[in-house]
């Protein structure tokens, strides 16, 4: 019997939804180890986040230290290793966010553990897990064969966990992470009034069919405002510099799974589709009836987007 | 400075791979192989850094003998020499430990790698390598200036190296994070760090004469037993194509009354 450790991600003092989706995976894993789910909160002044996470797990380990203020992989990976030992955990999981992808492989190296990235679920009753490869065109079932197993879990593939019956304990974890060869310099947040792309229930995405950057803003922003949606973009549009990098939806960008995804002027390259095909309802508006996006769209409208989107705006 | 860059031979990401009927792997017949696109960005960044600071770029590939083609492509872009570690399919962990051996042999100031290979999409090898070496890491290197900037047109490196430290703008959740790592370090590249150059004809001619050292993986003394075993490959569940609607009115009606999402 051994435990499962979920590494939390804390943004603005709060535990992220991605963390709670990883708790859902961890509860499944704990059925296999016969142990309990523990949590790990790392940072400075993260007491409130630890108390919050304790509603979902049996014990929260908190490494609260000035040296851990910023999410530096070199430091955090050491804390993950120490926490896994303190928790008696053989399974260590974290959401497959940029942060999780940065920290967890390094932690796996320190622990001598095998790791499966971007896991979308268990394949059966054993340790086989599913994960997308080849830009999402193929699903691999893989098994981590080491005693300690590390996973990052794709946030869009798991429900956020519900609170457990009783709040768990909170336990301080002291880790010395001196001699770091990494220095934090700055963080430039993309400021937006809109919901986060990966957490929004509605996403509207624009592609090359919008023809130029000005149109992207003129057409997509009112539609997003009307629907309370986050705005995404195809890689072509991001590469052209119309919109910032972090708006890219696709296997190499953000993976989203909202209730409603509206693709405007997007042809549907395979790597884009890999980033949005988990959406509940997909709408595609494109003037080319042969565009591959229509193969995954629940509702396809073959039309000139410059007429259709303003009309849609009016009628919503 | 001396930079070690990895180039993995991968199936062409623009084409769909065919899974073998028994799910054990992929049909290789008729498949096109290319350098991992993220690795090409790493090669480009290495060339820009050595142009600015002097030094050599050594290209490493771990794979079949045919991976020589991908090494030659990087040499044609301007790298000085190549190393092919002859091996079958390895998991990310074995790749990292093979690279660790090469790093100990070559003593580079910097290892530049693509953030992930577009075949297995693992996004692990760079971080694992940094962990094994005890080196700092800067993953998902991007740049603050953007790909339309004057800096990019002038082929300036996005990674700034000064006084033994590299400053890296990283693609983080919700923004760009800038960190400094002390060299030697591992840096992995994201899509928007640079536009890789095309090889010139003289570059291709020169590349034919550049040395490629071949090293059988067994000679390195690394245990390559996988820590992650692939049980099978399968097609993802097909998403059923939906319906075409005639006009905006029908679309709004369907969204309201059928899908009930607005």
């Amino acid at each position: 019997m051994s435990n499962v450790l979920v590494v939390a991600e804390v943004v603005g003092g709060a535990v992220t939804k991605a963390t709670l989706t990883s708790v859902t995976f961890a509860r499944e894993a704990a059925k296999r180890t016969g142990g309990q789910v523990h949590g790990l909160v790392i940072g400075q002044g993260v007491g409130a986040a630890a108390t919050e996470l304790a509603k979902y797990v049996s014990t929260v380990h908190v490494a609260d230290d000035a040296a851990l203020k910023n999410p530096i992989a070199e430091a955090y990976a050491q804390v993950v290793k120490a926490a896994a030992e303190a928790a008696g955990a053989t399974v260590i999981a974290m959401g497959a966010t940029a942060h999780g992808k940065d920290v967890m492989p390094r932690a796996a190296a320190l622990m001598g553990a095998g790791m499966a990235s971007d896991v979308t679920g268990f394949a059966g009753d054993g340790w086989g897990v599913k994960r997308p490869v080849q830009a999402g065109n193929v699903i691999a079932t893989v098994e981590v064969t080491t005693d300690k197993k590390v996973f990052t879990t794709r946030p869009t593939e798991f429900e956020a966990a519900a609170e457990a019956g009783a709040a768990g304990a909170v336990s301080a974890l002291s880790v010395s992470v001196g001699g770091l060869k990494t220095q934090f310099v700055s963080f430039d947040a993309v400021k937006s009034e809109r919901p986060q792309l990966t957490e929004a229930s509605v996403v509207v995405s624009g592609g090359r069919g919008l023809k130029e950057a000005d149109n992207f803003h003129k057409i997509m922003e009112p539609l997003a405002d009307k629907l309370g949606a986050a705005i995404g973009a195809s890689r072509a549009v991001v590469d052209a510099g119309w919109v910032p990098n972090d708006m890219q939806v696709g296997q190499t960008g953000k993976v989203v799974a909202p209730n409603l995804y509206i693709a405007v002027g997007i042809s549907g390259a395979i790597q884009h589709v890999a980033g949005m095909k988990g959406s509940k309802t997909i709408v595609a508006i494109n003037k080319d009836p042969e565009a591959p996006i229509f193969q995954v769209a629940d509702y396809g409208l073959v039309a000139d987007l410059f007429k259709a989107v303003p009309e849609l705006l009016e009628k919503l | 400075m001396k930079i070690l860059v990895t180039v993995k031979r991968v199936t062409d990401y623009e084409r769909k791979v065919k899974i073998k009927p028994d799910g054990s792997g992929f049909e290789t017949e008729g498949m096109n192989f290319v350098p991992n696109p993220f690795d090409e960005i790493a090669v480009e960044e290495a060339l820009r850094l050595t142009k600015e600071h002097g030094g050599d770029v050594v290209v490493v590939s771990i794979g079949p003998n045919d991976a020589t083609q991908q090494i030659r492509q990087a040499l044609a872009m301007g790298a000085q020499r190549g190393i092919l570690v002859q091996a079958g399919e390895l998991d990310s962990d074995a790749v990292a430990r093979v690279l660790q051996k090469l790093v100990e042999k070559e003593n580079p100031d910097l290892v530049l790698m693509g953030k992930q290979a577009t075949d297995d999409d693992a996004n692990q090898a760079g971080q694992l390598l940094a962990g094994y070496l005890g080196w700092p890491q800067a993953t998902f290197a991007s740049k603050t200036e953007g790909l339309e900037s004057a800096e990019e047109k002038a082929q300036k490196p996005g990674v700034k190296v000064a006084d033994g430290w590299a400053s890296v703008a990283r693609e983080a959740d919700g923004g760009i994070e800038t960190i400094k790592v002390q060299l030697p370090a591992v840096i992995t590249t994201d899509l928007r760090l640079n536009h890789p150059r095309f090889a010139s004809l003289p570059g291709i001619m020169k590349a034919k004469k550049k040395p490629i050292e071949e090293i059988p993986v067994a000679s390195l003394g690394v245990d390559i037993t996988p820590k992650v075993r692939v049980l099978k490959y399968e097609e993802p569940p097909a998403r059923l194509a939906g319906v075409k609607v005639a006009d905006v009115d029908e679309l709004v009606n369907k969204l309201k009354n059928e899908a009930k999402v607005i």
Side-chain angles (χ1 to χ4, degrees):
Chain A
M1 196 196 78
S2 60
N3 294 324
V4 177
L5 180 69
V6 176
V7 182
E9 194 165 358
V10 179
V11 174
V15 171
T16 60
K17 186 181 159 200
T19 304
L20 299 183
T21 60
S22 207
V23 169
T24 299
F25 170 84
R27 286 179 182 169
E28 279 299 308
K31 288 180 194 163
R32 289 161 173 78
T33 64
Q36 291 178 314
V37 177
H38 287 218
L40 168 63
V41 173
I42 312 173
Q44 183 186 22
V46 287
T51 309
E52 176 64 23
L53 185 62
K55 294 176 186 165
Y56 300 88
V57 301
S58 71
T59 305
V60 176
H61 304 267
V62 198
D64 200 324
D65 193 301
L68 300 170
K69 184 175 176 216
N70 298 298
I72 298 293
E74 191 189 355
Y76 276 39
Q78 295 177 46
V79 178
V80 171
K81 180 181 185 223
E85 281 161 17
T90 52
V91 174
I92 303 98
M94 187 172 183
T97 58
H99 182 35
K101 290 172 181 176
D102 184 37
V103 170
M104 293 304 265
R106 188 178 180 108
L110 300 186
M111 295 187 287
M115 168 170 172
S117 316
D118 228 0
V119 169
T120 58
F122 280 102
D125 297 332
W127 285 107
V129 291
K130 292 183 183 249
R131 55 178 304 269
V133 297
Q134 301 277 354
N137 285 305
V138 176
I139 304 297
T141 301
V142 303
E143 185 177 337
V144 179
T145 54
T146 45
D147 292 341
K148 273 210 174 95
K149 305 177 202 302
V150 174
F151 300 96
T152 53
T153 57
R154 185 173 275 201
T156 54
E157 297 288 335
F158 299 91
E159 297 286 331
E163 291 181 16
V170 175
S171 160
L173 178 73
S174 168
V175 186
S176 154
V177 291
L180 293 181
K181 289 171 275 187
T182 313
Q183 287 174 6
F184 174 84
V185 177
S186 62
F187 181 70
D188 298 312
V190 176
K191 290 179 189 72
S192 175
E193 305 287 304
R194 299 199 174 85
Q196 283 253 358
L197 193 50
T198 48
E199 308 212 334
S201 62
V202 181
V203 172
V204 297
S205 275
R208 218 203 286 272
L210 286 153
K211 295 202 171 85
E212 55 183 273
D214 269 2
N215 292 339
F216 189 96
H217 301 291
K218 270 189 265 177
I219 299 281
M220 301 307 293
E221 284 170 9
L223 184 61
D225 290 342
K226 183 91 182 188
L227 291 164
I231 303 183
S234 70
R235 181 172 165 192
V237 161
V238 172
D239 280 357
W242 297 1
V243 296
N245 298 343
D246 70 329
M247 283 169 67
Q248 187 203 334
V249 172
Q251 174 82 352
T252 54
K254 298 259 157 65
V255 177
V256 302
N259 279 329
L260 174 60
Y261 187 91
I262 304 182
V264 177
I266 290 177
S267 64
I270 53 176
Q271 84 88 23
H272 180 80
V273 169
M276 49 66 91
K277 68 183 174 190
S279 307
K280 192 162 156 260
T281 299
I282 297 175
V283 172
I285 302 174
N286 199 304
K287 69 176 182 200
D288 174 11
E290 303 301 320
I293 192 78
F294 289 122
Q295 291 166 20
V296 296
D298 299 288
Y299 304 114
L301 176 60
V302 180
D304 177 357
L305 69 91
F306 294 102
K307 292 197 185 106
V309 175
E311 189 186 340
L312 177 62
L313 201 55
E314 202 177 290
K315 290 176 174 165
L316 278 173
Chain B
M1 64 193 304
K2 182 173 177 180
I3 305 177
L4 199 71
V5 188
T6 56
V7 175
K8 184 176 184 186
R9 175 184 168 87
V10 298
T11 44
D12 186 349
Y13 61 99
E14 302 273 1
R15 294 201 211 165
K16 226 173 153 174
V17 295
K18 255 171 105 178
I19 302 168
K20 286 182 181 168
D22 65 358
S24 66
F26 304 108
E27 304 282 6
T28 49
E29 203 176 323
M31 276 312 301
N32 193 28
F33 290 89
V34 297
N36 175 34
F38 290 103
D39 290 341
E40 288 184 298
I41 294 170
V43 173
E44 177 63 39
E45 194 66 13
L47 294 172
R48 293 181 186 191
L49 281 167
T50 51
K51 188 179 176 209
E52 193 164 296
H53 303 281
D56 283 338
V57 177
V58 181
V59 179
V60 179
S61 194
I62 303 170
N65 284 328
D66 285 343
T68 308
Q69 294 161 10
Q70 281 67 42
I71 296 175
R72 289 262 179 241
Q73 281 174 269
L75 297 178
M77 287 170 73
Q80 273 72 28
R81 64 185 173 91
I83 299 172
L84 171 67
V85 178
Q86 297 157 312
E89 196 63 28
L90 304 184
D91 71 353
S92 303
D93 188 78
V95 165
R97 283 179 296 112
V98 166
L99 290 173
Q100 183 187 8
K101 278 276 169 189
L102 292 182
V103 166
E104 286 163 3
K105 210 172 128 201
E106 293 281 337
N107 285 311
D109 302 292
L110 181 62
V111 178
L112 268 168
M113 305 171 66
K115 73 165 179 180
Q116 71 194 65
T118 54
D119 51 1
D120 66 12
D121 286 325
N123 195 335
Q124 293 184 16
Q127 297 90 314
L128 288 165
L129 175 63
Y132 284 128
L133 290 166
W135 288 9
Q137 70 189 47
T139 53
F140 322 143
S142 186
K143 67 168 142 208
T144 43
E145 298 93 352
L147 285 180
E148 301 302 305
S149 63
E151 285 83 356
E152 173 60 25
K153 292 195 173 86
Q155 299 198 325
K156 292 283 179 206
V159 172
K160 315 281 189 240
V161 173
D163 305 324
W165 290 73
S167 171
V168 183
R170 307 178 52 241
E171 296 210 6
D173 300 298
I176 294 280
E177 180 193 69
T178 302
I179 60 172
K180 283 170 79 173
V181 287
Q182 188 172 26
L183 301 181
V186 177
I187 298 177
T188 75
T189 56
D190 215 318
L191 279 177
R192 282 162 289 272
L193 178 59
N194 61 48
H195 284 305
R197 71 193 66 184
F198 291 104
S200 64
L201 192 59
I204 293 168
M205 298 311 287
K206 269 192 220 159
K208 290 183 178 165
K209 295 192 183 120
K210 291 180 179 172
I212 298 179
E213 184 187 355
E214 293 181 353
I215 304 176
V217 72
S219 73
L220 288 171
V222 176
D223 178 9
I224 55 168
T225 314
K227 290 182 177 171
V228 180
R229 214 153 45 93
V230 177
L231 304 180
K232 71 168 173 184
Y233 294 106
E234 62 194 319
E235 297 268 348
R239 197 184 165 98
L240 297 176
V243 295
K244 291 257 172 71
V245 292
D247 51 30
V248 170
D249 288 322
E250 190 186 348
L251 176 60
V252 172
N253 179 35
K254 293 267 191 197
L255 290 177
K256 275 191 178 145
N257 302 316
E258 193 174 272
K260 296 186 171 48
V261 285
I262 55 171

